[in-house]
Amino acid sequence: MKIEQEVRGRSLIIRLGGELDVKSAPEFREATEAALDRHSSNHLILNLENVSFVDSSGLGAILGRYRRLQQGGGRMSLVAPAPNVRRVMELSGLFKIMPVFRAEERALEG
Amino acid sequence: MRTVSSPAPLKNHVRMEMAAVADNVALSRVTVAAFAAQLDFTLDEIEDIRVAVSEAVTNAVVHAYGDADLGGGVNHGGGVNPAGGANPGTVTLEVAHDGEALTIIVTDHGRGIADVALARQPAYTTDPERMGLGFAIMESFSDELEVASEVGRGTTVRMVKRPRAARASGAGEAAGDDRPV
């Protein structure tokens, strides 16, 4: 799994590429936790544009980060999930608790 | 308790035995998706199959034995492998089709599930890193789901998926919800 990060003010942008499943979820979790610790960000923007697959392990890892942000008074946004990824997310109800944006810039404004 | 496969004649089948480790989840998805291409599935349906297979094999990796590779996030603590030692246990993946329907069977010989009905309910998990949605996703993304399990013996998950095109043309089947298993 490819993981890229960029800090914009107090927002942390994480760009994922590849498949988010039981194998890659811990990688995503550890990289994101470390970046959140380092930058004391209060907004995590997860760019899913290049994610080709997500299952419940991936959703669980996303939800785990959401919980951390929420506990610290922060928030989390999702960006550009592909249609197949979106379908799994819809089933899980994640969209009820996290906003989804078409582009990172929109998430930064939102 | 074991599931009984459909008596329909099989036109093709593949049986793969593998270690119950996280790396083999992606391998299972690729294998089943490639096999499913022998039927007239849409790309969306192939995606459904990939997700359903991923959930079934992940259950075996995470819950049946407890995969040491995961580095946390495993529900049941240390691995309980009847085979003993550091062996991660095995998962068997079987895929078959009779020209009309794809059947996927995932079998492990791990700890089993004490209460299958409870485990199938959404959000059945105690782990904050997991959603407890595995069975709910398998159920939504397949046409039939059967789970047979025995504590200490293992779990068998059987899923059937039919191409929508075949269902619409009524190829010998009604809506498909109440057909005998």
Side-chain angles (χ1 to χ4, degrees):
Chain A
M1 150 142 287
K2 268 186 73 175
I3 305 176
E4 251 181 52
Q5 34 178 289
E6 188 181 330
V7 177
R8 298 272 294 267
R10 295 206 63 197
S11 296
L12 170 68
I13 302 171
I14 298 278
R15 301 184 188 105
L16 298 181
E19 302 189 316
L20 187 54
D21 70 356
V22 68
K23 177 67 182 177
S24 56
E27 252 177 86
F28 158 65
R29 181 186 68 228
E30 280 151 31
T32 306
E33 290 293 302
L36 286 171
D37 288 342
R38 203 173 322 122
H39 304 292
S40 57
S41 316
N42 63 2
H43 185 196
L44 172 61
I45 299 173
L46 186 62
N47 187 333
L48 299 167
E49 195 178 349
N50 294 313
V51 170
S52 55
F53 179 87
V54 166
D55 62 14
S56 67
S57 301
L59 296 177
I62 293 173
L63 187 70
R65 308 294 70 70
Y66 168 82
R67 286 187 175 133
R68 170 189 168 151
L69 266 292
Q70 201 196 25
Q71 276 164 15
R75 65 203 171 96
M76 184 167 171
S77 305
L78 303 173
V79 173
N84 63 310
V85 169
R86 187 175 271 271
R87 276 196 311 140
V88 180
M89 289 186 150
E90 261 159 16
L91 185 78
S92 72
L94 268 193
F95 292 150
K96 288 181 192 146
I97 55 172
M98 278 176 248
V100 188
F101 297 93
R102 276 194 210 141
E104 286 175 10
E105 293 304 322
R106 297 271 183 95
L108 283 163
E109 292 160 11
Chain B
M1 194 165 60
R2 282 285 175 259
T3 44
V4 178
S5 297
S6 157
L10 298 180
K11 289 203 171 151
N12 194 6
H13 73 275
V14 169
R15 183 186 156 97
M16 193 163 98
E17 188 181 288
M18 58 198 161
V21 295
D23 279 304
N24 286 336
V25 177
L27 180 72
S28 303
R29 290 197 296 268
V30 170
T31 303
V32 177
F35 185 86
Q38 295 168 15
L39 292 179
D40 194 18
F41 286 114
T42 64
L43 288 180
D44 276 355
E45 288 167 335
I46 297 279
E47 278 303 317
D48 291 353
I49 292 165
R50 273 165 30 95
V51 178
V53 167
S54 202
E55 299 299 344
V57 178
T58 296
N59 268 358
V61 170
V62 175
H63 301 297
Y65 304 107
D67 179 21
D69 285 351
L70 289 171
V74 179
N75 252 358
H76 302 282
V80 175
N81 177 14
N87 187 328
T90 57
V91 188
T92 306
L93 171 68
E94 294 169 82
V95 268
H97 77 76
D98 58 5
E100 287 176 9
L102 180 77
T103 301
I104 303 157
I105 300 172
V106 176
T107 306
D108 70 62
H109 304 286
R111 57 171 61 82
I113 303 168
D115 187 338
V116 170
L118 183 64
R120 285 179 68 157
Q121 284 174 12
Y124 175 72
T125 182
T126 52
D127 186 336
E129 289 291 324
R130 305 203 58 82
M131 290 198 82
L133 280 181
F135 284 123
I137 288 177
M138 285 181 240
E139 193 152 3
S140 322
F141 287 8
S142 64
D143 294 315
E144 287 175 32
L145 169 67
E146 277 175 40
V147 184
S149 191
E150 202 177 324
V151 171
R153 300 291 299 272
T155 301
T156 299
V157 170
R158 177 181 175 275
M159 297 181 284
V160 177
K161 182 86 173 169
R162 296 179 194 85
R164 203 168 13 202
R167 279 179 285 163
S169 71
E173 283 168 27
D177 284 336
D178 53 357
R179 64 197 294 267
V181 174

